[in-house]
Amino acid sequence: MLARFRPDKFLLLLLVTLAFASLVPARGSAAPLFDRLTDIGITLLFFMHGAKLSRSAIVAGLGAWRLHLMVLATTFILFPLLGLGMTTALSPWLDEAVVAGFLFLCIVPSTVQSSIAMTAMAHGNVPAAVCSASLSNVLGIVLTPMLAALLLHGQSAEGNFFLSALISVATTLLLPFILGHLARPLVGGFIDKHRSLVSRADRGVILLVVYTAFSAAVVEGLWKRFSGWDLISIAILSSILLGAVLLFTRFIARLTHQSHENEAVLVFCGSKKSLASGVPMAGALFAPAQVGVMVLPLMLFHQLQLLVCAALAQAYGRRAEANANVSGEKAHAV
């Protein structure tokens, strides 16, 4: 039971990175160097994301297109609406930086790895989960800047936020993603064979982005701007948001008479937000000093969703096994 609530190792590495950036931020001549390394790392990250995307997995899950639309609607419509409603209602008690970061959390795409893992644990439709999560990330490259232009235009000094954001995301994220997917016949075998190595590189890039972002934010006075109450506010808002989305996706799945397998996809793909995609997107969309502020709520939500969804996926899995045993007993009796 205790292992279920234990923070994962990557979260601990993120906290160490955050603490190191707070104590020893990259400043002066080191800051441009880390900015450049971050750009290279983000490009490599999305190249690998594109190369990991299997066309056969996409084809296998494409049949459940209604399910995919529900997942996408949850990710890019329900989440932003809930975030906007919550922050508007509580704006007198929330710092502007908390509001901005929380809204950014609401507009990033779903996770891929953990969504698929949770769906598999819940005995759900894994091919459909692969397709939904992958589609969310691909469309998020365009939809996240669009939503940022609508909800977060005040965070950018650019006059035309959407155009500049779209150009930045297209060159930094979309182009490497497409090139990576086109290169899959050449590099896909290596990536599939060395998934653990690719995963470590993936996380290493995220840690680099977090260090660079928080360094710039600390130099600009991040911890003078954020208080303990701000962190508590983010935790409370994230808990309410996750609970509301989980209840809504389960309700919609029952309302539309989804099978257990498809309900698991909707619940576990629709309720997730991707740290792996969100951090690089923030780096492409916002000034370096703003990125640390923007991704802090996403980091907290990431750990919360892992803890809650892991417990929920186990419950779904036990229910599926119990139903299978009952069906087996009935078949045997007949």
Side-chain angles (χ1 to χ4, degrees):
M1 285 292 293
L2 292 176
R4 184 184 299 173
F5 300 100
R6 186 182 304 157
D8 64 6
K9 293 180 180 178
F10 184 56
L11 175 70
L12 296 177
L13 286 174
L14 280 172
L15 293 176
V16 170
T17 302
L18 192 155
F20 187 71
S22 299
L23 296 172
V24 190
R27 62 173 79 231
S29 59
L33 174 62
F34 275 93
D35 287 340
R36 183 58 181 162
L37 288 175
T38 296
D39 290 340
I40 295 172
I42 291 172
T43 300
L44 175 63
L45 181 69
F46 274 79
F47 180 88
M48 291 191 299
H49 281 182
K52 285 191 294 185
L53 186 59
S54 169
R55 295 178 197 178
S56 60
I58 294 175
V59 172
L62 279 177
W65 61 269
R66 292 182 182 87
L67 178 62
H68 303 323
L69 288 177
M70 287 190 285
V71 171
L72 292 173
T74 302
T75 302
F76 296 112
I77 298 177
L78 177 65
F79 260 106
L81 288 177
L82 286 174
L84 188 60
M86 292 168 65
T87 53
T88 300
L90 300 173
S91 58
W93 298 278
L94 297 176
D95 185 273
E96 290 181 2
V98 173
V99 172
F102 190 71
L103 288 176
F104 178 71
L105 149 68
C106 292
I107 64 176
V108 299
S110 177
T111 62
V112 177
Q113 290 92 338
S114 65
S115 291
I116 296 168
M118 299 296 181
T119 302
M121 190 186 302
H123 297 264
N125 186 343
V126 173
V130 172
C131 189
S132 278
S134 301
L135 189 60
S136 175
N137 274 258
V138 173
L139 293 179
I141 295 176
V142 175
L143 293 177
T144 295
M146 289 178 61
L147 291 168
L150 290 172
L151 302 178
L152 297 166
H153 54 84
Q155 297 298 312
S156 174
E158 298 286 343
N160 193 336
F161 179 82
F162 173 66
L163 182 59
S164 61
L166 191 59
I167 292 172
S168 177
V169 168
T171 55
T172 309
L173 310 182
L174 183 59
L175 181 59
F177 183 91
I178 293 173
L179 291 176
H181 189 60
L182 292 176
R184 179 168 173 77
L186 299 176
V187 301
F190 175 85
I191 287 179
D192 292 340
K193 186 177 180 181
H194 299 87
R195 285 192 174 272
S196 60
L197 177 64
V198 172
S199 178
R200 285 195 291 270
D202 202 22
R203 295 185 171 198
V205 170
I206 296 172
L207 292 175
L208 174 63
V209 175
V210 168
Y211 173 74
T212 304
F214 272 91
S215 291
V218 167
V219 171
E220 293 292 323
L222 172 68
W223 298 124
K224 293 179 182 178
R225 186 172 185 180
F226 270 106
S227 64
W229 165 246
D230 292 328
L231 297 177
I232 293 172
S233 299
I234 293 170
I236 294 173
L237 289 172
S238 296
S239 300
I240 295 172
L241 179 66
L242 180 60
V245 172
L246 287 171
L247 289 173
F248 180 84
T249 50
R250 188 173 184 270
F251 171 75
I252 291 298
R254 301 296 171 87
L255 184 66
T256 56
H257 305 290
Q258 299 294 322
S259 65
H260 170 91
E261 292 77 11
N262 286 350
E263 179 181 330
V265 175
L266 180 56
V267 170
F268 295 110
C269 293
S271 63
K272 295 285 197 311
K273 288 295 178 178
S274 176
L275 186 67
S277 296
V279 171
M281 283 182 175
L285 291 172
F286 305 106
Q290 293 175 307
V291 176
V293 174
M294 302 304 288
V295 302
L296 187 58
L298 180 59
M299 290 172 61
L300 293 176
F301 187 87
H302 175 78
Q303 178 62 21
L304 179 65
Q305 71 183 11
L306 289 179
L307 294 174
V308 174
C309 290
L312 190 60
Q314 290 179 9
Y316 265 78
R318 288 192 295 268
R319 189 181 75 186
E321 290 172 0
N323 291 339
N325 291 335
V326 169
S327 299
E329 290 173 0
K330 289 181 177 179
H332 185 267
V334 173

